[in-house]
Amino acid sequence: TGQDNIPIVTAEENASILSGSVVYALACKSGSVLGPVAVDLGAKAFIGYKDDFGFLSQEDQRAHPLKDNILAKFLRPSNQVAISLLKGHSAGEASAISKRYFVKEIAQLMDSETTDEETAALPWLIWDYQNQVCLGDGSAKI
């Protein structure tokens, strides 16, 4: 969606505009709804999440997301998809790099002393890792 939550691309209406593209959709259930339709209609590859993308944030940092240490645990892995694609990696490689970042965040939380707030992020990091999918041609590049 865009401004005022108005849909920009939907599986039912205009997924064909993604034809010929490598797409990363950081959107809930995009990998189970929009992604398969987009690939069927010609998208080269589609990286998304087959269920909801979950995350936690620090309440006192909602107005300052870049200072939010909890949110950063979700942003670092998810942003790696776009960063990797822009660096010339394939869709499959970008997804794998992102998943390695998720594993790194999960391992850090399991290997060190953590606050209750950090511990609460752990199941959501695992959830997002498990639900990220790369559909279509994993060797496709932008």
Side-chain angles (χ1 to χ4, degrees), residues 10-27:
T10 67
E12 300 81 17
E13 293 179 21
N14 60 351
S16 63
I17 66 171
L18 302 175
S19 180
S21 300
V22 174
V23 179
Y24 174 45
L26 180 53

PDB file of all heavy atoms in Angstrom, residues 10-27:
ATOM      1  N   THR A  10      -2.022  -5.197  -6.318  1.00  0.00           N
ATOM      2  CA  THR A  10      -2.762  -6.290  -5.700  1.00  0.00           C
ATOM      3  C   THR A  10      -2.764  -7.484  -6.643  1.00  0.00           C
ATOM      4  O   THR A  10      -2.689  -7.321  -7.869  1.00  0.00           O
ATOM      5  CB  THR A  10      -4.231  -5.909  -5.380  1.00  0.00           C
ATOM      6  OG1 THR A  10      -4.937  -5.714  -6.594  1.00  0.00           O
ATOM      7  CG2 THR A  10      -4.314  -4.660  -4.517  1.00  0.00           C
ATOM      8  N   ALA A  11      -2.847  -8.658  -6.073  1.00  0.00           N
ATOM      9  CA  ALA A  11      -2.861  -9.886  -6.871  1.00  0.00           C
ATOM     10  C   ALA A  11      -4.079  -9.920  -7.789  1.00  0.00           C
ATOM     11  O   ALA A  11      -4.008 -10.414  -8.914  1.00  0.00           O
ATOM     12  CB  ALA A  11      -2.857 -11.106  -5.945  1.00  0.00           C
ATOM     13  N   GLU A  12      -5.180  -9.375  -7.325  1.00  0.00           N
ATOM     14  CA  GLU A  12      -6.434  -9.457  -8.069  1.00  0.00           C
ATOM     15  C   GLU A  12      -6.543  -8.440  -9.199  1.00  0.00           C
ATOM     16  O   GLU A  12      -7.271  -8.663 -10.166  1.00  0.00           O
ATOM     17  CB  GLU A  12      -7.640  -9.246  -7.124  1.00  0.00           C
ATOM     18  CG  GLU A  12      -7.741 -10.243  -6.006  1.00  0.00           C
ATOM     19  CD  GLU A  12      -6.823  -9.904  -4.817  1.00  0.00           C
ATOM     20  OE1 GLU A  12      -6.357  -8.753  -4.704  1.00  0.00           O
ATOM     21  OE2 GLU A  12      -6.555 -10.818  -4.019  1.00  0.00           O
ATOM     22  N   GLU A  13      -5.838  -7.311  -9.083  1.00  0.00           N
ATOM     23  CA  GLU A  13      -6.081  -6.225 -10.032  1.00  0.00           C
ATOM     24  C   GLU A  13      -4.945  -5.946 -11.009  1.00  0.00           C
ATOM     25  O   GLU A  13      -5.191  -5.783 -12.194  1.00  0.00           O
ATOM     26  CB  GLU A  13      -6.417  -4.939  -9.271  1.00  0.00           C
ATOM     27  CG  GLU A  13      -7.730  -5.023  -8.530  1.00  0.00           C
ATOM     28  CD  GLU A  13      -8.035  -3.748  -7.765  1.00  0.00           C
ATOM     29  OE1 GLU A  13      -7.473  -2.690  -8.103  1.00  0.00           O
ATOM     30  OE2 GLU A  13      -8.834  -3.824  -6.819  1.00  0.00           O
ATOM     31  N   ASN A  14      -3.709  -5.830 -10.520  1.00  0.00           N
ATOM     32  CA  ASN A  14      -2.667  -5.324 -11.407  1.00  0.00           C
ATOM     33  C   ASN A  14      -1.285  -5.936 -11.170  1.00  0.00           C
ATOM     34  O   ASN A  14      -0.268  -5.277 -11.415  1.00  0.00           O
ATOM     35  CB  ASN A  14      -2.588  -3.805 -11.295  1.00  0.00           C
ATOM     36  CG  ASN A  14      -2.267  -3.332  -9.884  1.00  0.00           C
ATOM     37  OD1 ASN A  14      -2.267  -4.108  -8.940  1.00  0.00           O
ATOM     38  ND2 ASN A  14      -1.991  -2.051  -9.745  1.00  0.00           N
ATOM     39  N   ALA A  15      -1.234  -7.175 -10.743  1.00  0.00           N
ATOM     40  CA  ALA A  15       0.054  -7.824 -10.489  1.00  0.00           C
ATOM     41  C   ALA A  15       0.898  -7.929 -11.755  1.00  0.00           C
ATOM     42  O   ALA A  15       2.121  -8.059 -11.683  1.00  0.00           O
ATOM     43  CB  ALA A  15      -0.151  -9.208  -9.873  1.00  0.00           C
ATOM     44  N   SER A  16       0.284  -7.811 -12.909  1.00  0.00           N
ATOM     45  CA  SER A  16       1.032  -7.906 -14.167  1.00  0.00           C
ATOM     46  C   SER A  16       2.032  -6.761 -14.340  1.00  0.00           C
ATOM     47  O   SER A  16       2.975  -6.884 -15.120  1.00  0.00           O
ATOM     48  CB  SER A  16       0.070  -7.953 -15.354  1.00  0.00           C
ATOM     49  OG  SER A  16      -0.675  -6.746 -15.425  1.00  0.00           O
ATOM     50  N   ILE A  17       1.857  -5.663 -13.615  1.00  0.00           N
ATOM     51  CA  ILE A  17       2.821  -4.558 -13.735  1.00  0.00           C
ATOM     52  C   ILE A  17       4.193  -4.947 -13.189  1.00  0.00           C
ATOM     53  O   ILE A  17       5.178  -4.271 -13.442  1.00  0.00           O
ATOM     54  CB  ILE A  17       2.334  -3.245 -13.070  1.00  0.00           C
ATOM     55  CG1 ILE A  17       2.224  -3.382 -11.555  1.00  0.00           C
ATOM     56  CG2 ILE A  17       1.022  -2.787 -13.669  1.00  0.00           C
ATOM     57  CD1 ILE A  17       1.967  -2.064 -10.844  1.00  0.00           C
ATOM     58  N   LEU A  18       4.264  -6.071 -12.475  1.00  0.00           N
ATOM     59  CA  LEU A  18       5.535  -6.550 -11.937  1.00  0.00           C
ATOM     60  C   LEU A  18       6.258  -7.460 -12.928  1.00  0.00           C
ATOM     61  O   LEU A  18       7.370  -7.914 -12.657  1.00  0.00           O
ATOM     62  CB  LEU A  18       5.303  -7.284 -10.615  1.00  0.00           C
ATOM     63  CG  LEU A  18       4.625  -6.451  -9.519  1.00  0.00           C
ATOM     64  CD1 LEU A  18       4.323  -7.308  -8.304  1.00  0.00           C
ATOM     65  CD2 LEU A  18       5.465  -5.241  -9.153  1.00  0.00           C
ATOM     66  N   SER A  19       5.650  -7.699 -14.085  1.00  0.00           N
ATOM     67  CA  SER A  19       6.234  -8.569 -15.105  1.00  0.00           C
ATOM     68  C   SER A  19       7.626  -8.071 -15.491  1.00  0.00           C
ATOM     69  O   SER A  19       7.849  -6.880 -15.684  1.00  0.00           O
ATOM     70  CB  SER A  19       5.330  -8.600 -16.328  1.00  0.00           C
ATOM     71  OG  SER A  19       5.900  -9.439 -17.318  1.00  0.00           O
ATOM     72  N   GLY A  20       8.573  -9.008 -15.547  1.00  0.00           N
ATOM     73  CA  GLY A  20       9.943  -8.686 -15.919  1.00  0.00           C
ATOM     74  C   GLY A  20      10.779  -8.135 -14.789  1.00  0.00           C
ATOM     75  O   GLY A  20      11.947  -7.798 -14.985  1.00  0.00           O
ATOM     76  N   SER A  21      10.225  -8.037 -13.599  1.00  0.00           N
ATOM     77  CA  SER A  21      10.903  -7.430 -12.458  1.00  0.00           C
ATOM     78  C   SER A  21      11.369  -8.449 -11.435  1.00  0.00           C
ATOM     79  O   SER A  21      10.854  -9.558 -11.350  1.00  0.00           O
ATOM     80  CB  SER A  21       9.961  -6.454 -11.739  1.00  0.00           C
ATOM     81  OG  SER A  21       9.553  -5.426 -12.598  1.00  0.00           O
ATOM     82  N   VAL A  22      12.336  -8.038 -10.647  1.00  0.00           N
ATOM     83  CA  VAL A  22      12.706  -8.741  -9.421  1.00  0.00           C
ATOM     84  C   VAL A  22      12.106  -7.897  -8.312  1.00  0.00           C
ATOM     85  O   VAL A  22      12.403  -6.707  -8.201  1.00  0.00           O
ATOM     86  CB  VAL A  22      14.234  -8.849  -9.272  1.00  0.00           C
ATOM     87  CG1 VAL A  22      14.592  -9.455  -7.917  1.00  0.00           C
ATOM     88  CG2 VAL A  22      14.827  -9.676 -10.408  1.00  0.00           C
ATOM     89  N   VAL A  23      11.244  -8.501  -7.499  1.00  0.00           N
ATOM     90  CA  VAL A  23      10.451  -7.764  -6.521  1.00  0.00           C
ATOM     91  C   VAL A  23      10.803  -8.205  -5.108  1.00  0.00           C
ATOM     92  O   VAL A  23      10.930  -9.399  -4.840  1.00  0.00           O
ATOM     93  CB  VAL A  23       8.938  -8.013  -6.756  1.00  0.00           C
ATOM     94  CG1 VAL A  23       8.089  -7.275  -5.738  1.00  0.00           C
ATOM     95  CG2 VAL A  23       8.547  -7.642  -8.179  1.00  0.00           C
ATOM     96  N   TYR A  24      10.937  -7.227  -4.208  1.00  0.00           N
ATOM     97  CA  TYR A  24      11.003  -7.521  -2.780  1.00  0.00           C
ATOM     98  C   TYR A  24       9.852  -6.783  -2.126  1.00  0.00           C
ATOM     99  O   TYR A  24       9.765  -5.556  -2.191  1.00  0.00           O
ATOM    100  CB  TYR A  24      12.324  -7.086  -2.169  1.00  0.00           C
ATOM    101  CG  TYR A  24      12.356  -7.239  -0.656  1.00  0.00           C
ATOM    102  CD1 TYR A  24      11.878  -8.395  -0.038  1.00  0.00           C
ATOM    103  CD2 TYR A  24      12.859  -6.242   0.164  1.00  0.00           C
ATOM    104  CE1 TYR A  24      11.903  -8.550   1.334  1.00  0.00           C
ATOM    105  CE2 TYR A  24      12.910  -6.392   1.542  1.00  0.00           C
ATOM    106  CZ  TYR A  24      12.422  -7.540   2.126  1.00  0.00           C
ATOM    107  OH  TYR A  24      12.456  -7.688   3.494  1.00  0.00           O
ATOM    108  N   ALA A  25       8.945  -7.526  -1.527  1.00  0.00           N
ATOM    109  CA  ALA A  25       7.786  -6.944  -0.863  1.00  0.00           C
ATOM    110  C   ALA A  25       7.861  -7.242   0.632  1.00  0.00           C
ATOM    111  O   ALA A  25       7.625  -8.370   1.053  1.00  0.00           O
ATOM    112  CB  ALA A  25       6.495  -7.494  -1.449  1.00  0.00           C
ATOM    113  N   LEU A  26       8.208  -6.234   1.404  1.00  0.00           N
ATOM    114  CA  LEU A  26       8.219  -6.361   2.859  1.00  0.00           C
ATOM    115  C   LEU A  26       6.793  -6.091   3.318  1.00  0.00           C
ATOM    116  O   LEU A  26       6.474  -5.031   3.841  1.00  0.00           O
ATOM    117  CB  LEU A  26       9.209  -5.377   3.485  1.00  0.00           C
ATOM    118  CG  LEU A  26       9.343  -5.384   4.996  1.00  0.00           C
ATOM    119  CD1 LEU A  26       9.638  -6.776   5.525  1.00  0.00           C
ATOM    120  CD2 LEU A  26      10.417  -4.416   5.449  1.00  0.00           C
ATOM    121  N   ALA A  27       5.942  -7.059   3.032  1.00  0.00           N
ATOM    122  CA  ALA A  27       4.515  -6.925   3.302  1.00  0.00           C
ATOM    123  C   ALA A  27       3.968  -8.270   3.754  1.00  0.00           C
ATOM    124  O   ALA A  27       4.322  -9.304   3.201  1.00  0.00           O
ATOM    125  CB  ALA A  27       3.791  -6.458   2.040  1.00  0.00           C
TER     126      ALA A  27
END
